[in-house]
Amino acid sequence: MLKHLPQSIRLVEVGPRDGLQNEKTIINLEDKFNFIKNLAAAGLKEIEASSFVRAEKIPQMQDSAQLFDRLIAEPSLKNTHLISLVPNLIGMKEALVHGVKDIAVFTSTSNSFNKKNINSTIDESLLKIEEVLSVAKTQHIRTRGYISTVFGCPYEGKTSLTELKRIALRLKELGVYEISLGDTIGIANPKQVQEVIEFLSVDFPLDFFSMHFHDTRGMAIANVLTSLELGIGSFDSSAGGLGGCPYAVGASGNVATEDLVYLFESMGIKTGVDLDKLIYASELILAKLGNISLSKSHTAYVAAKK
Amino acid sequence: MLKHLPQSIRLVEVGPRDGLQNEKTIINLEDKFNFIKNLAAAGLKEIEASSFVRAEKIPQMQDSAQLFDRLIAEPSLKNTHLISLVPNLIGMKEALVHGVKDIAVFTSTSNSFNKKNINSTIDESLLKIEEVLSVAKTQHIRTRGYISTVFGCPYEGKTSLTELKRIALRLKELGVYEISLGDTIGIANPKQVQEVIEFLSVDFPLDFFSMHFHDTRGMAIANVLTSLELGIGSFDSSAGGLGGCPYAVGASGNVATEDLVYLFESMGIKTGVDLDKLIYASELILAKLGNISLSKSHTAYVAAKK
């Protein structure tokens, strides 16, 4: 039942990092820069732009330093939060050199997933995050936390709500302003979404969370709707549905920003995003990748214009 | 907020008629027969199998008479409701000759849509339905009503709720056991779904309605979820997401049965459908059509099995 819908919600665009990272075709610096500029021009105010990781690990992110030098110098992006994923102290130090002011740190509710993904147990990852955040705090860097596999892990199946709470409390203690709860393999259903959110609402205000759904099984929009009804006001999404998770078999597709914009705006909830301009941004990068859009709203919109 | 979820819901499979009718590749009698048999074997108890219309109008349905002769003779289908769409008295009489026991009649909340689709105004279509039902009643034929363009018309935009109520009351009076409310162009959003259902709930019990959503803009599963929360217990869907609406530009894709089965079963709501067997049924017909599945649940399921 839809009651007390908010007047507006926040969208955190993850296409340029989470999306592109999982695409095989390497996008050059200029095209990445333009993609981010176009997304900001469409009205997206928080954009995960890149990550400071070892180039040999994630080739798509090898030019993050040069990209940030360009982004920081771009006047039209002055009011955009450009977020960089930072896995450790080395990444943090490099990010600072290149003018990064918003970072994201990463862990998961699954030891197996963390081991495969970042070669750390949960507790080891929390120690790395502590190191990163001790620097971030002194430099007034805004830090977002990611928790992956909240709704299920490709290696361990269901993960523990108690562990989720412990990790979330620790991240809060360390100073993150928000935690993004990831349905990494797109396995969540609305009932489970309700269970997780109601469980966390005992210890946290709901505006401490953003929901990060994958549309692997076509359930993302329903999961977003349930989150919205429960009081969540922030959602991660990827323009054109770019990306997925390379470590999770069968997992493809962050929920598309276009589909979220359509959902919210059609219900009178403001996203601040101009769908025309967003589709322009997506079309350009999809052409570079040789991909078609994974967003049905996008496809229907383009068909209607013809 | 998910409260009072039902233990089970009904699925009305429309792939063999609404789905196939909108596919260009003509499927032969044997393949249609097997498709329907496979759907029933997967647990679907109500299947829209065909329509008795003029062959030159809908070539895909030209062998409905022979198809029904086969279906009626098939022992494994004895307990399956095999529904035929019947546009007028001529179709009704032919359907009776071939052993049809379940029919569906059709209208829309839009005069323009009805004119283009069945060359009748709303009131003319209600007169035809009256003729059909006067025969159906005497022959103890179970009749389902369709109302299209409930959430918007490709020619008229938003359609009238008052008109919807008038048509629904008339269909009820004429003796239909259920009305399927169609989002013909896939334009509905959850808020609008709530408005329509709450509006109708004043004059009708909610078990009088089945929701028929199209996934044109990726909103179908969220619309189904909202309907479920409001107390709707029956949904139309199409195996593999077959079909759409040939009269509505840009409209493609009945919501896929696989996605509904995944949604409901993942929340512990019984559909009676075996997803393995359903996917088997879809794969065979998709191969004949040369199509890929439009169901993300289907795609993820197949990927996970590899």
Side-chain angles (χ1 to χ4, degrees):
Chain A
M1 218 91 61
L2 303 169
K3 287 176 180 164
H4 322 297
L5 291 182
Q7 293 200 303
S8 64
I9 54 90
R10 282 170 54 218
L11 289 179
V12 180
E13 170 60 43
V14 302
R17 202 284 304 173
D18 193 16
L20 285 185
Q21 172 169 324
N22 297 312
E23 299 287 347
K24 278 181 191 148
T25 306
I26 298 293
I27 298 295
N28 71 35
L29 185 66
E30 187 67 19
D31 292 336
K32 278 182 200 158
F33 174 74
N34 287 329
F35 182 37
I36 294 166
K37 228 173 61 169
N38 291 337
L39 290 168
L44 290 154
K45 301 250 174 301
E46 300 173 69
I47 303 175
E48 194 182 70
S50 191
S51 66
F52 284 85
V53 291
R54 277 184 290 135
E56 66 274 23
K57 208 179 165 208
I58 316 275
Q60 188 70 278
M61 296 293 125
Q62 65 197 338
D63 52 8
S64 291
Q66 300 98 295
L67 177 62
F68 257 89
D69 291 343
R70 291 279 311 268
L71 294 171
I72 293 298
E74 169 59 35
S76 70
L77 295 171
K78 278 283 173 281
N79 296 316
T80 308
H81 287 287
L82 298 165
I83 304 164
S84 280
L85 191 70
V86 164
N88 51 35
L89 203 52
I90 299 169
M92 181 73 236
K93 286 177 179 165
E94 205 196 340
L96 285 174
V97 170
H98 296 281
V100 169
K101 293 196 175 60
D102 283 83
I103 64 163
V105 293
F106 171 91
T107 189
S108 147
T109 52
S110 156
N111 274 313
S112 315
F113 189 83
N114 265 353
K115 285 295 279 182
K116 297 239 185 194
N117 200 6
I118 51 174
N119 197 29
S120 305
T121 62
I122 295 170
D123 287 331
E124 286 162 1
S125 75
L126 289 172
L127 287 175
K128 286 186 196 168
I129 289 171
E130 188 176 352
E131 287 182 343
V132 167
L133 277 164
S134 67
V135 174
K137 265 186 220 167
T138 64
Q139 306 292 320
H140 307 290
I141 300 298
R142 203 167 161 255
T143 305
R144 180 166 214 252
Y146 274 111
I147 305 180
S148 278
T149 69
V150 166
F151 301 90
C153 165
Y155 315 112
E156 298 186 3
K158 276 239 173 168
T159 62
S160 153
L161 283 179
T162 318
E163 194 64 351
L164 169 62
K165 181 171 136 182
R166 178 180 79 88
I167 298 165
L169 284 171
R170 183 65 184 142
L171 290 179
K172 195 177 179 206
E173 205 170 57
L174 292 174
V176 306
Y177 69 90
E178 169 173 84
I179 290 174
S180 166
L181 300 172
D183 179 19
T184 313
I185 54 171
I187 196 96
N189 66 68
K191 196 174 167 189
Q192 190 190 11
V193 168
Q194 175 160 332
E195 282 160 9
V196 168
I197 292 173
E198 286 183 343
F199 174 81
L200 290 172
S201 71
V202 177
D203 296 284
F204 301 89
L206 287 183
D207 64 2
F208 188 60
F209 297 108
S210 187
M211 302 307 290
H212 182 110
F213 290 116
H214 280 207
D215 202 27
T216 316
R217 289 164 185 82
M219 301 296 124
I221 298 293
N223 290 333
V224 166
L225 183 70
T226 294
S227 308
L228 181 80
E229 289 177 60
L230 289 163
I232 295 283
S234 177
F235 298 91
D236 297 4
S237 61
S238 176
L242 294 179
C245 178
Y247 301 102
V249 178
S252 67
N254 284 292
V255 66
T257 310
E258 287 86 344
D259 289 349
L260 287 195
V261 169
Y262 184 84
L263 172 73
F264 292 124
E265 296 282 343
S266 68
M267 298 198 295
I269 299 169
K270 299 276 173 252
T271 61
V273 176
D274 178 320
L275 194 54
D276 255 311
K277 290 182 181 170
L278 172 60
I279 283 174
Y280 173 76
S282 294
E283 296 262 318
L284 285 188
I285 199 78
L286 288 166
K288 301 283 177 188
L289 290 164
N291 288 2
I292 56 159
S293 177
L294 293 172
S295 161
K296 290 191 179 181
S297 295
H298 181 158
T299 307
Y301 187 89
V302 171
K305 291 251 161 176
K306 272 177 190 163
Chain B
M1 217 90 64
L2 304 170
K3 286 174 182 166
H4 322 296
L5 292 181
Q7 292 199 304
S8 64
I9 56 92
R10 281 172 54 220
L11 289 179
V12 180
E13 171 61 41
V14 301
R17 201 286 302 174
D18 192 17
L20 285 186
Q21 172 169 325
N22 298 311
E23 299 288 345
K24 279 181 191 149
T25 307
I26 298 292
I27 298 296
N28 70 38
L29 185 66
E30 186 67 19
D31 291 337
K32 278 183 201 158
F33 174 73
N34 287 329
F35 181 36
I36 293 166
K37 227 173 59 167
N38 291 337
L39 290 168
L44 290 153
K45 302 251 175 297
E46 299 174 69
I47 303 175
E48 194 183 69
S50 192
S51 66
F52 284 85
V53 290
R54 277 186 290 134
E56 66 274 22
K57 207 178 166 208
I58 316 275
Q60 187 71 275
M61 297 292 124
Q62 65 197 338
D63 52 7
S64 290
Q66 299 98 297
L67 178 62
F68 257 86
D69 292 343
R70 291 278 312 267
L71 293 171
I72 294 298
E74 169 59 36
S76 69
L77 295 171
K78 278 283 172 281
N79 296 316
T80 308
H81 287 286
L82 297 167
I83 304 164
S84 279
L85 192 70
V86 164
N88 50 36
L89 204 53
I90 299 169
M92 180 73 234
K93 286 178 179 165
E94 205 196 340
L96 284 175
V97 171
H98 296 280
V100 169
K101 293 197 174 61
D102 284 82
I103 63 163
V105 293
F106 171 92
T107 189
S108 149
T109 52
S110 156
N111 275 313
S112 316
F113 189 82
N114 265 354
K115 284 295 279 180
K116 297 240 183 193
N117 200 7
I118 50 175
N119 197 28
S120 306
T121 62
I122 294 171
D123 288 331
E124 286 162 2
S125 76
L126 288 173
L127 287 175
K128 286 187 196 169
I129 290 171
E130 189 176 351
E131 288 181 344
V132 168
L133 277 163
S134 67
V135 175
K137 266 185 221 167
T138 65
Q139 305 291 321
H140 306 291
I141 301 296
R142 204 168 160 255
T143 305
R144 182 166 212 252
Y146 274 110
I147 305 180
S148 278
T149 67
V150 167
F151 300 91
C153 166
Y155 314 112
E156 299 188 4
K158 275 237 174 171
T159 61
S160 152
L161 282 179
T162 318
E163 194 64 351
L164 170 63
K165 180 172 135 182
R166 179 180 78 88
I167 298 165
L169 284 171
R170 182 68 183 137
L171 290 179
K172 196 177 178 204
E173 208 171 54
L174 292 174
V176 306
Y177 68 89
E178 167 173 85
I179 291 175
S180 167
L181 301 171
D183 179 20
T184 314
I185 54 171
I187 196 96
N189 65 67
K191 196 176 167 187
Q192 191 191 10
V193 169
Q194 174 161 333
E195 283 159 12
V196 168
I197 293 173
E198 287 183 344
F199 174 81
L200 291 171
S201 71
V202 176
D203 295 284
F204 301 89
L206 287 183
D207 64 3
F208 187 60
F209 297 107
S210 186
M211 303 306 292
H212 182 112
F213 289 116
H214 280 207
D215 201 28
T216 317
R217 288 162 183 84
M219 301 297 124
I221 298 293
N223 291 333
V224 166
L225 184 71
T226 295
S227 308
L228 180 80
E229 290 177 61
L230 290 162
I232 295 283
S234 178
F235 298 92
D236 297 4
S237 61
S238 175
L242 293 180
C245 178
Y247 302 101
V249 177
S252 66
N254 284 292
V255 67
T257 310
E258 287 86 341
D259 288 349
L260 287 195
V261 170
Y262 185 84
L263 172 72
F264 293 124
E265 296 282 344
S266 69
M267 298 199 294
I269 300 169
K270 300 276 173 255
T271 61
V273 176
D274 178 321
L275 194 55
D276 256 312
K277 290 182 182 170
L278 172 60
I279 284 173
Y280 172 77
S282 294
E283 296 263 317
L284 285 188
I285 199 77
L286 289 165
K288 302 282 177 189
L289 290 165
N291 288 3
I292 57 160
S293 176
L294 293 172
S295 160
K296 289 190 180 182
S297 294
H298 181 160
T299 307
Y301 187 90
V302 172
K305 291 251 162 174
K306 272 175 189 163

